[in-house]
């Protein structure tokens, strides 16, 4: 009578053990996820978090393509252009983080509002030396990208180096557009919020068109 029940008891223990193992894995995954979120939250929770992460991803692809292009290039000119492309990728990635930190440090101890954010960004654009130097370097990098494209196409090749330069040219068009639309969006939100606050909720009730006063 006891013998046939033993396999059932063993299955119960196996199921219990598998369930506990799955719970332990889920807890470990949850801890890892929270740790990763804690590492990235200073960037993702700050202003321009999408810009920083997007820039890093694009520049990582450009740097990898440039390194592979330098390895496959057959002449010094193409290898030099690929090396310059890696340097430009590092510059853009570093400035994205620098710009976000400058905004965060400028707003330290203040409430994060659209008005304060717009004022701080305007102050950085007008008076920050690092931003002014980057603007000059930005246009210089764009010119180098165009020159490097011509060198790679009409020189000894390096196909992935061409892909890296294409990514950099794409960034030089997208980044200023993103910055312009982001700033205009902040300004529009500020203006709309001010109008809503200044409107009188106890004003006259709207009358249908053609109604008698």
């Amino acid at each position: 009578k006891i013998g046939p029940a033993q396999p059932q008891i063993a299955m119960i223990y196996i199921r219990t053990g598998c369930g506990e193992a799955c719970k332990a894995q889920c807890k470990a995954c949850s801890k890892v996820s929270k740790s990763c979120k804690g590492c990235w939250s200073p960037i993702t929770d700050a202003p321009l978090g999408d810009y920083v992460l997007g820039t890093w991803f694009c520049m990582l692809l450009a740097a990898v393509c440039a390194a592979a292009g330098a390895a496959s290039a057959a002449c010094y000119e193409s290898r030099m252009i690929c090396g310059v492309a890696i340097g430009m990728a590092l510059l853009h990635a570093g400035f994205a983080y620098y710009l976000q930190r400058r905004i965060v440090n400028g707003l330290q101890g203040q409430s994060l509002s659209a008005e304060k954010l717009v004022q701080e960004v305007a102050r950085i654009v007008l008076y920050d030396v690092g931003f002014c130097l980057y603007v000059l370097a930005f246009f210089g990098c764009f010119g180098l990208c165009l020159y490097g494209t011509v060198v790679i196409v009409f020189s000894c090749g390096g196909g992935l180096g061409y892909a890296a330069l294409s990514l950099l040219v794409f960034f030089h068009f997208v980044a200023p557009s993103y910055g312009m639309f982001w700033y205009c969006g902040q300004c529009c939100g500020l203006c709309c919020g001010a109008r809503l606050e200044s409107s009188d909720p106890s004003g006259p009730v709207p009358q249908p068109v053609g109604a008698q006063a």
Side-chain angles (χ1 to χ4, degrees):
K1 293 181 180 179
I2 300 176
Q6 290 180 351
Q8 296 180 359
I9 296 175
M11 289 300 297
I12 292 174
Y13 281 115
I14 292 174
R15 291 176 183 175
T16 303
C18 292
E20 292 298 327
C22 291
K23 288 180 181 179
Q25 291 180 359
C26 291
K27 289 181 180 179
C29 292
S30 178
K31 289 181 180 179
V32 172
S33 177
K34 289 180 180 179
S35 299
C36 293
K37 185 177 180 181
C39 293
W40 291 101
S41 58
I43 295 175
T44 57
D45 296 342
L48 294 179
D50 295 337
Y51 164 72
V52 175
L53 294 181
T55 300
W56 284 2
F57 178 73
C58 184
M59 294 303 106
L60 177 62
L61 288 179
V64 171
C65 291
S72 62
C75 65
Y76 172 77
E77 288 79 8
S78 294
R79 288 194 295 269
M80 180 186 66
I81 291 298
C82 291
V84 172
I86 295 175
M88 288 188 289
L90 294 175
L91 172 66
H92 294 313
F95 177 77
Y97 183 75
Y98 168 81
L99 179 60
Q100 185 188 56
R101 291 302 98 190
R102 290 290 294 139
I103 295 174
V104 171
N105 293 334
L107 295 175
Q108 193 170 10
Q110 304 180 34
S111 60
L112 183 59
S113 62
E115 181 180 4
K116 297 293 184 181
L117 189 58
V118 168
Q119 292 176 355
E120 182 61 24
V121 171
R123 188 188 67 81
I124 292 173
V125 171
L126 293 175
Y127 302 111
D128 187 72
V129 177
F131 182 87
C132 295
L133 294 176
Y134 176 75
V135 170
L136 298 177
F138 184 87
F139 288 104
C141 290
F142 182 69
L144 284 174
C145 288
L146 298 180
Y147 171 76
T149 302
V150 174
V151 170
I152 289 180
V153 169
F154 294 101
S155 185
C156 54
L160 287 176
Y162 178 78
L165 293 175
S166 299
L167 284 171
L168 289 171
V169 170
F170 171 77
F171 174 80
H172 281 85
F173 282 103
V174 172
S177 302
Y178 176 86
M180 180 182 65
F181 283 113
W182 179 85
Y183 188 79
C184 291
Q186 296 295 326
C187 293
C188 290
L190 179 61
C191 294
C192 293
R195 289 184 179 181
L196 291 175
E197 291 178 358
S198 62
S199 60
D200 185 9
S202 61
V205 178
Q207 297 290 332
V209 177
Q212 297 290 333

